[in-house]
Amino acid sequence: MTVLILTCEQDVTADMVVAELHGAGVPVVRLDPADLPGAVAISGEYVHGAFQGHLSVGGRLVSTSGLRSIWVRRPGVPAARAAEPSAWLTEEASQALYGMLNGTGARWMNRPDAALRARHKPWQLHLAQRTGFPVPATLITTFPQAARDFAERFPDLVVKPVSGTHPQDPPRAVPTSRIAPDADFAAVAFGPTLFQRRIAKRADIRLTAVGDRLLAARKPAAADADEVDVRFAPSPGPWQPADVPPRIARSVHDFLRRAELAYGAFDFAEDADGIWWFLECNQSGQFGFVELDTGQPIARALAHWLARDEAESEQAAPSPAPAH
Amino acid sequence: MTVLILTCEQDVTADMVVAELHGAGVPVVRLDPADLPGAVAISGEYVHGAFQGHLSVGGRLVSTSGLRSIWVRRPGVPAARAAEPSAWLTEEASQALYGMLNGTGARWMNRPDAALRARHKPWQLHLAQRTGFPVPATLITTFPQAARDFAERFPDLVVKPVSGTHPQDPPRAVPTSRIAPDADFAAVAFGPTLFQRRIAKRADIRLTAVGDRLLAARKPAAADADEVDVRFAPSPGPWQPADVPPRIARSVHDFLRRAELAYGAFDFAEDADGIWWFLECNQSGQFGFVELDTGQPIARALAHWLARDEAESEQAAPSPAPAH
């Protein structure tokens, strides 16, 4: 049984997991959907009530029924490297590839439809509330008056884009910024804006969930209280392994089960009382930088999840999609 | 409790359903995501573990907790009519709108993530096999040799795009065409192609499923056997109501349950033996033309599904997403 990894060519994080899988003697096929059609070929036959599918990449032919698991790591846009790329060909290639793979019995990390839903920050916040995480008071709005009212109730605020990306092409991360309560909020009418009560944090927490396995790391907050986004702050030191409070662990498992995710990278702000405040869950979040600092075996945990047999599987969530 | 309809301005099909809902005295809000931000405003607050959301359109303010159901009919692209539209603003508006609506307790017709998955034809064919529909032998491939082998085994073939759309911008429907078994299949290497055994059909069947309610219609096939696509054939007569064979009804219910869809428009080819061969299920398929010909109360069935209380709901599929 083979592990299929969908990712682009240059992907050091995938390399780490592939090395683990090779070390364990697990067959791996790695392909970039951008190479379909072209270096990647696909075929599926529906005859006499049964489906038989095949993938070919780099001279290797793999039966889709022989796929154990599929890791959607950082795939390119289908048909992006075709001889004559077009939006139509991308749709055709995407339908063929993901449509066929969705019909296999392979376990997904993560299922594309679950991943799409989980990308929505407003949905994440609501699910985080329901699964028992402390969530900082948050407002997402295009009503200037709602923003003004919120700023009166929670004067110590930060502002973020709803989607977490910067209004640039190509998008890049934008720092979370503080905002004065007497700011002019009229501009929110031109685009949904996310305001959040600032957590006076003593540390940032990154919790990486791989199936049932939780690996957390802590990094002390920068001394400068105005720098609220750890990605842009001068680093006061490396990430250090951290214990996961049992209550947080329960919430993480519940969140992933309801979100139907097998993998998630959770960001928390730890306050002076040690409370972990939920900021977000990135279903495709990086983990290499944490593993580098802490030495936590995240790549190995991922390889183990991808490699293990169906029988010993705990599946983050039983798929409501057609089973095999 | 209000019914929310997401659709563009010019939508006669939505008008039919709105008229039914008005007739029944059910509050309706209709909005086009293209008008967010702008004529449509949205706000959601996450405070003390609870979520409170509001939508405003045409001077009306609606609480998201007061939404009974959401019909995703033919929505525009979020922020398409904004003062300064951009891909980024579309992503922000889409996240805000769909992310908040996904967190409400409203029933969906259809849930966006389920709809996305259901659009994949290869996945449909596999699910149709599993749920007991007769499915014509089909091949989707970028391997020229696989196409040649398939054409030898099934010489009477039709060819279709995988996605059902034409390689044009804007896309339009492309007729399904017959293809000679000795055709040159080399071109499939340049794009996934769908080949299907041609069903010698005596009629086309359109079955519209609205929750548990199934309404089927039949149209005799054109005399010209070369015209395999009813949309492009000279019409031999109007659609007529048809009885649904119990076996087909069971398969339809099973298909919708596993696909987590509340609505689906199924297309079948009926052969000389009366067998209904599964061609496709369009989760957003039109129904106005069938209602016009047959007088079947499809708009009313839809209005009834949207209007009814949670208590009497049979939900096409229990949502694994966070409940309310």
Side-chain angles (χ1 to χ4, degrees):
Chain A
M1 296 289 278
T2 301
V3 172
L4 175 63
I5 302 178
L6 304 179
T7 198
C8 52
E9 234 165 87
Q10 305 283 334
D11 182 351
V12 181
T13 306
D15 295 345
M16 289 165 66
V17 174
V18 168
E20 294 283 348
L21 289 166
H22 281 166
V26 178
V28 181
V29 167
R30 176 176 174 160
L31 71 82
D32 187 350
D35 291 323
L36 172 72
V40 173
I42 190 170
S43 199
E45 192 182 286
Y46 307 74
V47 174
H48 302 314
F51 170 71
Q52 284 197 307
H54 290 90
L55 282 171
S56 149
V57 53
R60 275 183 70 184
L61 190 70
V62 188
S63 163
T64 57
S65 64
L67 294 179
R68 181 196 294 267
S69 57
I70 302 170
W71 184 26
V72 186
R73 179 31 217 164
R74 190 152 289 192
V77 172
R81 273 193 290 276
E84 295 186 43
S86 70
W88 180 79
L89 188 56
T90 288
E91 176 67 15
E92 293 279 297
S94 179
Q95 286 244 354
L97 179 66
Y98 290 103
M100 276 189 220
L101 291 179
N102 251 329
T104 68
R107 295 178 300 124
W108 287 82
M109 181 178 269
N110 289 313
R111 283 223 333 272
D113 53 328
L116 175 77
R117 185 177 53 196
R119 280 180 48 235
H120 291 77
K121 179 74 78 74
W123 183 83
Q124 282 184 24
L125 292 172
H126 201 187
L127 183 55
Q129 287 184 329
R130 286 171 179 170
T131 49
F133 288 107
V135 177
T138 305
L139 176 76
I140 298 171
T141 198
T142 64
F143 290 94
Q145 192 54 47
R148 284 179 210 116
D149 292 348
F150 192 77
E152 261 183 39
R153 286 152 63 210
F154 304 99
D156 193 2
L157 279 185
V158 294
V159 60
K160 312 179 187 184
V162 180
S163 61
T165 56
H166 194 266
Q168 284 196 334
D169 191 22
R172 60 180 180 82
V174 64
T176 298
S177 317
R178 293 180 76 167
I179 188 166
D182 58 352
D184 177 7
F185 291 102
V188 307
F190 299 106
T193 308
L194 189 154
F195 300 97
Q196 196 162 62
R197 179 171 81 78
R198 186 178 74 91
I199 302 300
K201 69 184 173 191
R202 69 175 183 201
D204 288 284
I205 303 285
R206 162 58 70 97
L207 185 155
T208 309
V210 182
D212 274 350
R213 189 90 189 269
L214 308 186
L215 298 121
R218 174 186 285 109
K219 186 198 271 272
D224 177 2
D226 275 347
E227 195 61 74
V228 289
D229 191 323
V230 69
R231 294 169 300 179
F232 298 87
S235 175
W239 290 91
Q240 302 275 2
D243 290 334
V244 181
R247 207 188 125 175
I248 291 288
R250 276 195 301 276
S251 292
V252 168
H253 292 312
D254 197 17
F255 186 102
L256 293 175
R257 188 182 54 78
R258 296 209 204 191
E260 301 177 82
L261 298 175
Y263 177 91
F266 292 77
D267 285 327
F268 300 94
E270 186 184 65
D271 69 13
D273 296 324
I275 303 287
W276 289 15
W277 292 89
F278 176 94
L279 298 181
E280 68 175 313
C281 169
N282 186 343
Q283 66 83 29
S284 69
Q286 292 282 11
F287 60 83
F289 68 98
V290 181
E291 177 150 356
L292 220 61
D293 274 10
T294 61
Q296 289 172 317
I298 307 179
R300 180 165 298 172
L302 229 139
H304 183 259
W305 190 95
L306 292 168
R308 76 159 172 244
D309 291 332
E310 188 70 20
E312 44 167 328
S313 149
E314 105 285 22
Q315 272 281 47
S319 165
H324 10 115
Chain B
M1 297 289 278
T2 301
V3 172
L4 174 63
I5 302 179
L6 303 180
T7 197
C8 51
E9 234 166 85
Q10 305 282 334
D11 182 351
V12 182
T13 306
D15 295 345
M16 290 164 66
V17 174
V18 168
E20 294 284 347
L21 290 166
H22 282 166
V26 178
V28 181
V29 166
R30 175 176 173 160
L31 71 82
D32 186 351
D35 291 323
L36 172 71
V40 173
I42 190 168
S43 200
E45 192 181 286
Y46 307 75
V47 174
H48 301 317
F51 170 72
Q52 284 197 307
H54 290 90
L55 282 171
S56 150
V57 53
R60 275 184 72 185
L61 190 69
V62 189
S63 164
T64 57
S65 64
L67 294 179
R68 180 194 295 267
S69 56
I70 302 169
W71 184 27
V72 186
R73 183 24 219 167
R74 191 152 288 193
V77 173
R81 272 194 291 276
E84 295 185 45
S86 70
W88 180 78
L89 188 56
T90 288
E91 176 65 16
E92 293 279 299
S94 178
Q95 286 245 354
L97 180 66
Y98 290 103
M100 276 190 221
L101 291 178
N102 251 329
T104 70
R107 296 178 299 125
W108 287 83
M109 181 178 268
N110 290 314
R111 283 223 334 271
D113 52 328
L116 175 77
R117 185 177 51 196
R119 281 178 48 236
H120 290 77
K121 180 73 78 74
W123 182 82
Q124 282 184 25
L125 292 171
H126 200 187
L127 183 55
Q129 286 184 329
R130 285 172 178 170
T131 50
F133 288 107
V135 177
T138 305
L139 176 76
I140 298 171
T141 199
T142 63
F143 290 94
Q145 191 54 47
R148 285 180 209 114
D149 293 349
F150 192 77
E152 259 183 40
R153 285 152 62 208
F154 304 98
D156 193 2
L157 279 185
V158 295
V159 61
K160 313 178 187 183
V162 179
S163 62
T165 56
H166 194 265
Q168 284 196 334
D169 192 22
R172 59 180 180 82
V174 63
T176 298
S177 317
R178 294 181 75 167
I179 188 166
D182 59 351
D184 177 7
F185 290 102
V188 306
F190 299 106
T193 308
L194 189 155
F195 300 97
Q196 195 163 61
R197 179 171 81 79
R198 186 179 73 92
I199 302 298
K201 69 185 175 191
R202 69 177 183 201
D204 287 284
I205 304 286
R206 161 58 70 99
L207 184 154
T208 309
V210 182
D212 274 350
R213 189 88 189 270
L214 309 186
L215 298 121
R218 174 186 284 109
K219 188 197 270 271
D224 178 2
D226 275 348
E227 194 61 75
V228 287
D229 190 323
V230 69
R231 293 168 300 178
F232 298 86
S235 174
W239 291 92
Q240 303 274 2
D243 291 331
V244 180
R247 208 190 124 175
I248 292 288
R250 274 196 302 277
S251 292
V252 168
H253 292 312
D254 197 17
F255 186 102
L256 293 175
R257 188 182 54 77
R258 295 209 204 192
E260 300 177 83
L261 298 175
Y263 177 89
F266 291 77
D267 286 326
F268 300 94
E270 185 184 67
D271 70 13
D273 297 324
I275 304 288
W276 290 15
W277 292 89
F278 177 95
L279 298 180
E280 68 176 311
C281 170
N282 186 344
Q283 68 82 28
S284 69
Q286 292 282 12
F287 61 83
F289 68 98
V290 180
E291 176 149 357
L292 221 63
D293 275 10
T294 62
Q296 289 172 317
I298 306 178
R300 180 165 298 172
L302 229 139
H304 184 259
W305 190 94
L306 292 168
R308 77 162 171 241
D309 291 332
E310 188 71 20
E312 45 168 325
S313 150
E314 105 284 21
Q315 272 280 49
S319 166
H324 7 116

